[in-house]
Amino acid sequence: MKIGIVDTTFSRVNMGAMAVDEIRRHASVAVERITVPGVKDLPVACKKMIEERACDIVMALGMPGGVDKDKMCAHEASQGLIKAQLMTNTHIIEVFVHEDEAKNENELAWLAERRTREHAVNAVKLVLYPEALVKEAGTGQRQGFDDAGPARR
Ligand code: RDL
Ligand code: RDL
Ligand code: RDL
């Protein structure tokens, strides 16, 4: 079992290091890491992790900036990540933290770490313990900020 981690130099938080650390806490698996400049460079790097480095799942970590151009970039990157998943029949867990989700730098750093760590756990579950996610079906999970929780009536 091997998990690939791809992050960016554009991000203001070292999300890759956090992902590796969190994976190590939950599973003894091989980890391959690479860093690319920005989110639009993630899809091919993830595809190479799958095809050339035999990863069973990949985490794509990035931080779209706050202006419209960045949101466009993020959308394009996301489309590429979905395409790479369909081409390889392999999950790529997209962990994007938009800079404008947080009200200040402090919260941005906190949010990026928490979302990265929560999605690292999701990645481990998806490849090693898929039944654990079935148990969480319909529970309103979120990554980073608080969970929404199940809707009640
Ligand atoms: O291929 C080189 C760059 O085009 C690529 O790294 C882009 O993803 C870089 N980039 C932008 O050009 C941009 O306008 C990024 C953002 N915005 C952004 O918000 N977040 C990024 N990259 O990670
Ligand atoms: O690959 C991991 C996640 O990127 C992926 O599960 C997304 O579908 C999660 N997600 C968002 O990132 C988001 O901004 C979801 C929503 N919004 C949403 O509205 N509903 C979802 N997922 O089911
Ligand atoms: O409802 C509040 C948030 O869930 C919503 O703003 C999401 O769109 C925030 N979000 C992202 O923008 C994103 O790119 C989330 C994710 N990724 C994600 O992976 N998990 C989330 N939110 O819970």
Short mmCIF file of all heavy atoms in Angstrom, two decimals, residues 101-142:
data_model
loop_
_atom_site.label_atom_id
_atom_site.label_comp_id
_atom_site.label_asym_id
_atom_site.label_seq_id
_atom_site.Cartn_x
_atom_site.Cartn_y
_atom_site.Cartn_z
N GLU A 101 -11.42 31.78 2.88
CA GLU A 101 -12.29 31.09 3.85
C GLU A 101 -11.99 31.55 5.28
O GLU A 101 -12.83 31.41 6.17
CB GLU A 101 -12.07 29.57 3.78
CG GLU A 101 -12.72 28.88 2.61
CD GLU A 101 -12.54 27.37 2.73
OE1 GLU A 101 -13.28 26.75 3.50
OE2 GLU A 101 -11.62 26.83 2.08
N ALA A 102 -10.76 32.01 5.48
CA ALA A 102 -10.34 32.38 6.84
C ALA A 102 -10.34 33.88 7.01
O ALA A 102 -10.11 34.63 6.06
CB ALA A 102 -8.93 31.84 7.08
N LYS A 103 -10.62 34.34 8.25
CA LYS A 103 -10.68 35.79 8.45
C LYS A 103 -9.32 36.42 8.73
O LYS A 103 -9.18 37.63 8.64
CB LYS A 103 -11.72 36.16 9.51
CG LYS A 103 -11.70 35.37 10.80
CD LYS A 103 -12.88 35.82 11.70
CE LYS A 103 -12.85 35.14 13.06
NZ LYS A 103 -13.01 33.65 12.93
N ASN A 104 -8.32 35.62 9.05
CA ASN A 104 -6.97 36.16 9.21
C ASN A 104 -5.94 35.03 9.02
O ASN A 104 -6.32 33.87 8.84
CB ASN A 104 -6.81 36.83 10.59
CG ASN A 104 -7.20 35.88 11.72
OD1 ASN A 104 -6.78 34.72 11.74
ND2 ASN A 104 -8.01 36.36 12.65
N GLU A 105 -4.66 35.38 9.07
CA GLU A 105 -3.59 34.41 8.82
C GLU A 105 -3.59 33.26 9.82
O GLU A 105 -3.31 32.12 9.49
CB GLU A 105 -2.22 35.10 8.92
CG GLU A 105 -1.94 36.03 7.79
CD GLU A 105 -0.47 36.41 7.72
OE1 GLU A 105 0.35 35.82 8.45
OE2 GLU A 105 -0.16 37.31 6.92
N ASN A 106 -3.89 33.64 11.05
CA ASN A 106 -3.93 32.66 12.11
C ASN A 106 -4.96 31.57 11.83
O ASN A 106 -4.69 30.37 11.94
CB ASN A 106 -4.32 33.43 13.39
CG ASN A 106 -3.64 32.87 14.60
OD1 ASN A 106 -2.61 32.23 14.48
ND2 ASN A 106 -4.24 33.10 15.75
N GLU A 107 -6.15 32.04 11.44
CA GLU A 107 -7.22 31.09 11.15
C GLU A 107 -6.91 30.29 9.88
O GLU A 107 -7.23 29.11 9.78
CB GLU A 107 -8.57 31.81 11.00
CG GLU A 107 -9.72 30.83 10.90
CD GLU A 107 -11.09 31.51 10.85
OE1 GLU A 107 -11.40 32.16 9.85
OE2 GLU A 107 -11.83 31.38 11.84
N LEU A 108 -6.24 30.93 8.92
CA LEU A 108 -5.88 30.24 7.67
C LEU A 108 -4.94 29.07 7.98
O LEU A 108 -5.12 27.96 7.47
CB LEU A 108 -5.20 31.23 6.71
CG LEU A 108 -4.81 30.68 5.34
CD1 LEU A 108 -6.06 30.27 4.55
CD2 LEU A 108 -3.99 31.71 4.56
N ALA A 109 -3.96 29.32 8.82
CA ALA A 109 -2.99 28.27 9.19
C ALA A 109 -3.71 27.13 9.93
O ALA A 109 -3.47 25.95 9.67
CB ALA A 109 -1.88 28.86 10.05
N TRP A 110 -4.61 27.51 10.82
CA TRP A 110 -5.37 26.52 11.60
C TRP A 110 -6.26 25.68 10.67
O TRP A 110 -6.29 24.45 10.75
CB TRP A 110 -6.22 27.25 12.65
CG TRP A 110 -7.22 26.37 13.33
CD1 TRP A 110 -7.02 25.59 14.43
CD2 TRP A 110 -8.59 26.15 12.91
NE1 TRP A 110 -8.18 24.90 14.73
CE2 TRP A 110 -9.15 25.22 13.82
CE3 TRP A 110 -9.38 26.65 11.87
CZ2 TRP A 110 -10.46 24.78 13.72
CZ3 TRP A 110 -10.69 26.21 11.77
CH2 TRP A 110 -11.22 25.29 12.69
N LEU A 111 -6.96 26.39 9.75
CA LEU A 111 -7.90 25.71 8.85
C LEU A 111 -7.16 24.74 7.92
O LEU A 111 -7.59 23.60 7.71
CB LEU A 111 -8.67 26.75 8.03
CG LEU A 111 -9.65 26.21 6.99
CD1 LEU A 111 -10.77 25.41 7.65
CD2 LEU A 111 -10.23 27.35 6.15
N ALA A 112 -6.04 25.21 7.37
CA ALA A 112 -5.28 24.37 6.44
C ALA A 112 -4.79 23.10 7.13
O ALA A 112 -4.86 22.01 6.58
CB ALA A 112 -4.11 25.15 5.87
N GLU A 113 -4.32 23.26 8.37
CA GLU A 113 -3.83 22.09 9.10
C GLU A 113 -4.97 21.12 9.42
O GLU A 113 -4.87 19.91 9.19
CB GLU A 113 -3.13 22.51 10.40
CG GLU A 113 -2.76 21.29 11.25
CD GLU A 113 -1.56 21.51 12.13
OE1 GLU A 113 -1.16 22.67 12.36
OE2 GLU A 113 -1.01 20.48 12.61
N ARG A 114 -6.07 21.68 9.90
CA ARG A 114 -7.17 20.79 10.29
C ARG A 114 -7.81 20.09 9.09
O ARG A 114 -8.07 18.89 9.12
CB ARG A 114 -8.21 21.61 11.07
CG ARG A 114 -9.12 20.69 11.85
CD ARG A 114 -9.73 21.35 13.03
NE ARG A 114 -11.16 21.06 13.00
CZ ARG A 114 -11.95 21.12 14.05
NH1 ARG A 114 -11.47 21.49 15.21
NH2 ARG A 114 -13.20 20.83 13.94
N ARG A 115 -8.01 20.83 7.98
CA ARG A 115 -8.60 20.20 6.79
C ARG A 115 -7.66 19.14 6.23
O ARG A 115 -8.09 18.05 5.84
CB ARG A 115 -8.95 21.25 5.73
CG ARG A 115 -9.61 20.63 4.49
CD ARG A 115 -10.26 21.67 3.59
NE ARG A 115 -11.36 22.36 4.26
CZ ARG A 115 -11.83 23.56 3.90
NH1 ARG A 115 -11.30 24.19 2.88
NH2 ARG A 115 -12.84 24.10 4.55
N THR A 116 -6.36 19.45 6.20
CA THR A 116 -5.38 18.49 5.69
C THR A 116 -5.38 17.21 6.52
O THR A 116 -5.42 16.10 5.99
CB THR A 116 -3.97 19.12 5.71
OG1 THR A 116 -3.95 20.25 4.83
CG2 THR A 116 -2.92 18.11 5.27
N ARG A 117 -5.35 17.37 7.84
CA ARG A 117 -5.30 16.19 8.71
C ARG A 117 -6.59 15.37 8.62
O ARG A 117 -6.55 14.14 8.59
CB ARG A 117 -5.01 16.61 10.16
CG ARG A 117 -3.57 17.12 10.34
CD ARG A 117 -3.22 17.38 11.79
NE ARG A 117 -1.88 17.93 11.92
CZ ARG A 117 -0.76 17.20 11.93
NH1 ARG A 117 -0.83 15.88 11.83
NH2 ARG A 117 0.41 17.78 12.04
N GLU A 118 -7.73 16.05 8.56
CA GLU A 118 -9.00 15.30 8.46
C GLU A 118 -9.10 14.55 7.13
O GLU A 118 -9.58 13.41 7.09
CB GLU A 118 -10.19 16.25 8.65
CG GLU A 118 -10.30 16.75 10.09
CD GLU A 118 -11.61 17.48 10.35
OE1 GLU A 118 -12.67 17.01 9.92
OE2 GLU A 118 -11.57 18.55 10.99
N HIS A 119 -8.64 15.18 6.05
CA HIS A 119 -8.69 14.48 4.76
C HIS A 119 -7.63 13.38 4.67
O HIS A 119 -7.82 12.39 3.95
CB HIS A 119 -8.54 15.46 3.60
CG HIS A 119 -9.85 15.99 3.06
ND1 HIS A 119 -10.96 15.18 2.87
CD2 HIS A 119 -10.23 17.23 2.65
CE1 HIS A 119 -11.96 15.92 2.37
NE2 HIS A 119 -11.54 17.16 2.25
N ALA A 120 -6.53 13.53 5.42
CA ALA A 120 -5.52 12.44 5.45
C ALA A 120 -6.16 11.19 6.06
O ALA A 120 -5.96 10.06 5.59
CB ALA A 120 -4.29 12.88 6.25
N VAL A 121 -6.96 11.40 7.10
CA VAL A 121 -7.67 10.28 7.73
C VAL A 121 -8.67 9.69 6.73
O VAL A 121 -8.80 8.46 6.60
CB VAL A 121 -8.37 10.73 9.04
CG1 VAL A 121 -9.23 9.61 9.61
CG2 VAL A 121 -7.33 11.19 10.06
N ASN A 122 -9.36 10.56 5.98
CA ASN A 122 -10.29 10.07 4.96
C ASN A 122 -9.56 9.21 3.91
O ASN A 122 -10.08 8.17 3.48
CB ASN A 122 -10.97 11.24 4.24
CG ASN A 122 -12.11 11.83 5.04
OD1 ASN A 122 -12.70 11.15 5.89
ND2 ASN A 122 -12.44 13.09 4.78
N ALA A 123 -8.38 9.66 3.52
CA ALA A 123 -7.62 8.91 2.50
C ALA A 123 -7.24 7.53 3.02
O ALA A 123 -7.38 6.52 2.30
CB ALA A 123 -6.36 9.69 2.10
N VAL A 124 -6.78 7.48 4.26
CA VAL A 124 -6.41 6.19 4.86
C VAL A 124 -7.64 5.27 4.93
O VAL A 124 -7.58 4.09 4.57
CB VAL A 124 -5.81 6.39 6.28
CG1 VAL A 124 -5.70 5.06 7.02
CG2 VAL A 124 -4.44 7.07 6.18
N LYS A 125 -8.77 5.83 5.35
CA LYS A 125 -9.99 5.02 5.44
C LYS A 125 -10.41 4.52 4.06
O LYS A 125 -10.81 3.36 3.91
CB LYS A 125 -11.13 5.85 6.05
CG LYS A 125 -11.00 6.07 7.55
CD LYS A 125 -12.12 6.97 8.06
CE LYS A 125 -12.00 7.20 9.56
NZ LYS A 125 -12.90 8.30 10.01
N LEU A 126 -10.34 5.40 3.07
CA LEU A 126 -10.80 5.03 1.73
C LEU A 126 -10.02 3.84 1.17
O LEU A 126 -10.59 2.96 0.54
CB LEU A 126 -10.65 6.25 0.81
CG LEU A 126 -11.58 6.42 -0.38
CD1 LEU A 126 -13.03 6.14 -0.05
CD2 LEU A 126 -11.44 7.83 -0.94
N VAL A 127 -8.71 3.79 1.40
CA VAL A 127 -7.93 2.68 0.84
C VAL A 127 -7.79 1.49 1.78
O VAL A 127 -7.64 0.37 1.32
CB VAL A 127 -6.51 3.07 0.35
CG1 VAL A 127 -6.58 3.73 -1.00
CG2 VAL A 127 -5.76 3.88 1.35
N LEU A 128 -7.81 1.74 3.09
CA LEU A 128 -7.56 0.63 4.02
C LEU A 128 -8.80 0.15 4.77
O LEU A 128 -8.94 -1.04 5.04
CB LEU A 128 -6.49 1.04 5.05
CG LEU A 128 -5.05 1.11 4.54
CD1 LEU A 128 -4.15 1.63 5.65
CD2 LEU A 128 -4.57 -0.26 4.07
N TYR A 129 -9.67 1.09 5.12
CA TYR A 129 -10.84 0.72 5.93
C TYR A 129 -12.11 1.34 5.36
O TYR A 129 -12.76 2.18 6.01
CB TYR A 129 -10.68 1.20 7.38
CG TYR A 129 -9.32 0.97 7.97
CD1 TYR A 129 -8.41 2.03 8.14
CD2 TYR A 129 -8.91 -0.31 8.38
CE1 TYR A 129 -7.15 1.82 8.69
CE2 TYR A 129 -7.65 -0.52 8.93
CZ TYR A 129 -6.78 0.55 9.08
OH TYR A 129 -5.53 0.34 9.62
N PRO A 130 -12.49 0.99 4.13
CA PRO A 130 -13.65 1.66 3.51
C PRO A 130 -14.94 1.51 4.32
O PRO A 130 -15.82 2.38 4.26
CB PRO A 130 -13.76 1.00 2.13
CG PRO A 130 -12.89 -0.21 2.17
CD PRO A 130 -11.86 0.02 3.22
N GLU A 131 -15.05 0.45 5.09
CA GLU A 131 -16.26 0.25 5.89
C GLU A 131 -16.40 1.34 6.98
O GLU A 131 -17.52 1.64 7.43
CB GLU A 131 -16.30 -1.15 6.51
CG GLU A 131 -15.26 -1.48 7.57
CD GLU A 131 -13.82 -1.63 7.03
OE1 GLU A 131 -13.61 -1.65 5.80
OE2 GLU A 131 -12.90 -1.72 7.86
N ALA A 132 -15.29 1.95 7.35
CA ALA A 132 -15.34 3.03 8.35
C ALA A 132 -16.08 4.24 7.79
O ALA A 132 -16.77 4.95 8.53
CB ALA A 132 -13.93 3.42 8.78
N LEU A 133 -15.94 4.48 6.50
CA LEU A 133 -16.66 5.61 5.89
C LEU A 133 -18.14 5.30 5.75
O LEU A 133 -18.99 6.19 5.89
CB LEU A 133 -16.05 5.95 4.52
CG LEU A 133 -14.68 6.65 4.56
CD1 LEU A 133 -14.17 6.89 3.14
CD2 LEU A 133 -14.73 7.96 5.32
N VAL A 134 -18.48 4.04 5.47
CA VAL A 134 -19.90 3.67 5.39
C VAL A 134 -20.59 3.99 6.71
O VAL A 134 -21.72 4.49 6.74
CB VAL A 134 -20.07 2.17 5.02
CG1 VAL A 134 -21.54 1.78 5.04
CG2 VAL A 134 -19.46 1.87 3.66
N LYS A 135 -19.88 3.77 7.81
CA LYS A 135 -20.44 4.07 9.14
C LYS A 135 -20.71 5.56 9.31
O LYS A 135 -21.55 5.96 10.12
CB LYS A 135 -19.48 3.60 10.25
CG LYS A 135 -19.41 2.10 10.39
CD LYS A 135 -19.09 1.72 11.85
CE LYS A 135 -19.05 0.22 12.05
NZ LYS A 135 -17.79 -0.38 11.58
N GLU A 136 -19.97 6.41 8.57
CA GLU A 136 -20.14 7.86 8.68
C GLU A 136 -21.13 8.43 7.66
O GLU A 136 -21.35 9.65 7.62
CB GLU A 136 -18.79 8.56 8.50
CG GLU A 136 -17.78 8.27 9.60
CD GLU A 136 -16.41 8.87 9.31
OE1 GLU A 136 -16.33 9.87 8.58
OE2 GLU A 136 -15.42 8.31 9.81
N ALA A 137 -21.74 7.56 6.86
CA ALA A 137 -22.67 8.03 5.82
C ALA A 137 -23.77 8.89 6.44
O ALA A 137 -24.34 8.55 7.48
CB ALA A 137 -23.28 6.83 5.09
N GLY A 138 -24.04 10.02 5.79
CA GLY A 138 -25.15 10.88 6.22
C GLY A 138 -24.95 11.61 7.53
O GLY A 138 -25.91 12.10 8.12
N THR A 139 -23.70 11.71 7.99
CA THR A 139 -23.47 12.34 9.29
C THR A 139 -23.01 13.80 9.18
O THR A 139 -22.66 14.42 10.18
CB THR A 139 -22.43 11.54 10.12
OG1 THR A 139 -21.21 11.43 9.36
CG2 THR A 139 -22.95 10.15 10.44
N GLY A 140 -23.02 14.36 7.95
CA GLY A 140 -22.69 15.78 7.81
C GLY A 140 -21.26 16.13 8.15
O GLY A 140 -21.00 17.17 8.77
N GLN A 141 -20.33 15.28 7.72
CA GLN A 141 -18.91 15.55 8.00
C GLN A 141 -18.41 16.74 7.18
O GLN A 141 -18.79 16.91 6.02
CB GLN A 141 -18.06 14.31 7.63
CG GLN A 141 -18.39 13.06 8.44
CD GLN A 141 -18.03 13.21 9.90
OE1 GLN A 141 -16.95 13.66 10.24
NE2 GLN A 141 -18.97 12.84 10.76
N ARG A 142 -17.58 17.55 7.78
CA ARG A 142 -16.88 18.62 7.06
C ARG A 142 -15.41 18.51 7.45
O ARG A 142 -15.07 17.87 8.47
CB ARG A 142 -17.42 20.01 7.47
CG ARG A 142 -18.89 20.23 7.11
CD ARG A 142 -19.13 20.31 5.61
NE ARG A 142 -20.52 20.64 5.30
CZ ARG A 142 -21.49 19.74 5.12
NH1 ARG A 142 -21.23 18.44 5.27
NH2 ARG A 142 -22.71 20.13 4.83
#
